[in-house]
Amino acid sequence: MSLNFSLNKSVTYLSLLFVGATASLLGTQLLPTNAVLVQQQVAQLPSALPGNTDSNFIAAAVERTGPAVVRIDSSRTMRNRSARPGGRVVQGTGSGFIIQSDGLILTNAHVVNRADTVTVTLRDGRNFTGKVLGQDQLTDVAVVKIQANNLPAVNLGNSEQLRPGEWAIAIGNPLGLDNTVTAGIISATGRSSSDVGVPDKRIGFIQTDAAINPGNSGGPLLNQQGQVIGMNTAIIGGAQGLGFAIPINRAQQIANQLIAEGRVTHPYLGVQMTTLTPDLRETLSRDSNGRVQVQPNQGVVIVGVAQNSPAARAGLRTGDVIQQINGQAVKTAADVQQAVENSRIGVSLPLQVSRNGSNLTVSISPAEFPTS
């Protein structure tokens, strides 16, 4: 069944056939370098936190972590489509941070994507040629290695323990201004990829109002102790105080796989879905001329199924409402995405769905997310 839905909210995708980030959300490394700097209103910071003897906890955090923050310059040659030799060189600048003293660095995948050369510059001015050990486009995480020892390294925090309202400190190289420090708060946690406008990503983002600008991509987001709790990755163009970071627990998980295997595999169902709302129930019925009738009041409704996907082979249909995955109730599209991400490729995954008023159990075997 093929329907033309006019949905008001963004939908979450688990299929490359439905990939498409909104143009207003750009990786911060990719925005124009001549962007206008806008002064932001920042709440006055306290001279000291209760129980903190340091007169400036932000400065103390930066002193602990700043030496491990690096600038990453990448370049690649855009080949001519004609027979003439040569091509146009595209250059980009981002940030990164050293996670091990032997030269392992975390950054965003879009900072080094398809780069011919990668140059890493430390805060003390030393330059190194970087080698990309692996990158994962679905989470925008990459690992770069430089040949050096006894380097300063960051301390990693626990992004699972973050609460909105906590302090957030960003360090990076925005607009060519190396070692820039900005501060704000954690505005929210668990922002889904569809909330942010990048439905092709598999991340629950940290939202922060700490100023993030082009060149901050891949740099660390710190807590008040100077521990890394996120990796800055994106902003919403035209807005102020809307920056997003990858939780460090997730980034570290992906990095470990990239270091060990050079790649990351993601389970894939092949459905386009969105969280069920009363308005969406009406839209589904109206746009299908009554052929799709959704009975439940909550759950995750399938609004598209990719051809030849695991979902298609399992018999899932447009209008099915996912109620449970592997015996656990799901209420939002983010719940389904997380459950699928936690599943295993090729291992049967039971889904309980509601279809036109009847409850069905469907067994589906996730495949590896297509890479092309």
Side-chain angles (χ1 to χ4, degrees):
M1 180 181 299
S2 176
L3 302 177
N4 182 19
F5 296 112
S6 56
L7 305 182
N8 292 326
K9 293 188 176 181
S10 299
V11 292
T12 298
Y13 301 84
L14 292 183
S15 165
L16 279 178
L17 297 179
F18 302 103
V19 163
T22 59
S24 62
L25 183 102
L26 302 174
T28 56
Q29 171 244 3
L30 301 177
L31 293 178
T33 56
N34 60 350
V36 178
L37 294 178
V38 179
Q39 184 176 1
Q40 298 192 12
Q41 300 297 321
V42 179
Q44 184 176 354
L45 303 180
S47 59
L49 292 179
N52 189 338
T53 58
D54 197 300
S55 60
N56 190 322
F57 71 93
I58 294 178
V62 172
E63 287 174 2
R64 285 191 291 269
T65 306
V69 180
V70 303
R71 186 178 80 238
I72 298 178
D73 295 301
S74 63
S75 65
R76 62 186 173 95
T77 301
M78 301 287 291
R79 304 298 178 187
N80 293 323
R81 293 186 177 181
S82 64
R84 291 179 299 176
R88 182 169 59 93
V89 176
V90 178
Q91 297 179 326
T93 298
S95 306
F97 50 96
I98 303 169
I99 57 173
Q100 291 185 16
S101 61
D102 61 353
L104 279 177
I105 297 169
L106 277 190
T107 187
N108 282 145
H110 75 257
V111 171
V112 297
N113 186 37
R114 293 184 291 173
D116 300 318
T117 62
V118 174
T119 302
V120 176
T121 303
L122 275 58
R123 195 175 75 169
D124 62 15
R126 287 182 291 168
N127 293 320
F128 297 89
T129 298
K131 177 182 179 182
V132 180
L133 297 186
Q135 55 183 298
D136 181 51
Q137 299 298 328
L138 285 184
T139 55
D140 202 16
V141 174
V143 178
V144 175
K145 181 71 167 65
I146 60 176
Q147 295 301 317
N149 292 298
N150 301 318
L151 298 175
V154 302
N155 290 320
L156 302 182
N158 185 355
S159 53
E160 294 295 326
Q161 297 178 348
L162 291 179
R163 298 177 300 166
E166 292 186 25
W167 290 107
I169 306 164
I171 308 179
N173 309 296
L175 300 171
L177 302 173
D178 289 357
N179 308 120
T180 295
V181 179
T182 58
I185 62 170
I186 301 297
S187 303
T189 60
R191 292 296 194 205
S192 70
S193 55
S194 58
D195 290 337
V196 175
V198 283
D200 58 314
K201 303 302 179 187
R202 291 279 188 95
I203 310 169
F205 291 93
I206 301 167
Q207 181 182 331
T208 180
D209 68 348
I212 297 174
N213 289 286
N216 274 113
S217 283
L221 189 69
L222 313 179
N223 60 18
Q224 63 194 43
Q225 287 79 34
Q227 299 171 321
V228 178
I229 44 87
M231 179 163 59
N232 301 317
T233 188
I235 58 176
I236 293 182
Q240 293 187 36
L242 289 176
F244 300 92
I246 303 166
I248 194 60
N249 291 27
R250 180 68 168 144
Q252 187 178 20
Q253 178 189 38
I254 297 299
N256 289 338
Q257 295 181 58
L258 291 175
I259 294 168
E261 303 176 20
R263 63 189 295 267
V264 178
T265 57
H266 295 274
Y268 154 86
L269 298 186
V271 297
Q272 181 186 6
M273 61 186 179
T274 189
T275 303
L276 182 62
T277 65
D279 288 344
L280 181 56
R281 291 174 62 187
E282 295 181 6
T283 300
L284 288 167
S285 177
R286 181 181 64 250
D287 289 359
S288 67
N289 294 320
R291 295 193 303 270
V292 176
Q293 295 293 329
V294 176
Q295 302 297 327
N297 294 317
Q298 66 178 22
V300 180
V301 62
I302 296 174
V303 296
V305 178
Q307 293 182 353
N308 301 318
S309 66
R313 290 190 290 271
L316 290 177
R317 305 176 185 173
T318 298
D320 286 351
V321 180
I322 304 173
Q323 304 276 278
Q324 294 183 7
I325 295 184
N326 207 21
Q328 300 295 316
V330 291
K331 297 181 179 180
T332 67
D335 292 341
V336 174
Q337 183 165 288
Q338 187 60 53
V340 173
E341 189 68 21
N342 292 337
S343 68
R344 297 173 60 188
I345 295 172
V347 177
S348 181
L349 186 67
L351 275 65
Q352 181 178 310
V353 302
S354 175
R355 179 181 297 166
N356 294 326
S358 299
N359 290 326
L360 306 172
T361 298
V362 178
S363 292
I364 184 170
S365 295
E368 182 177 344
F369 199 100
T371 57
S372 61

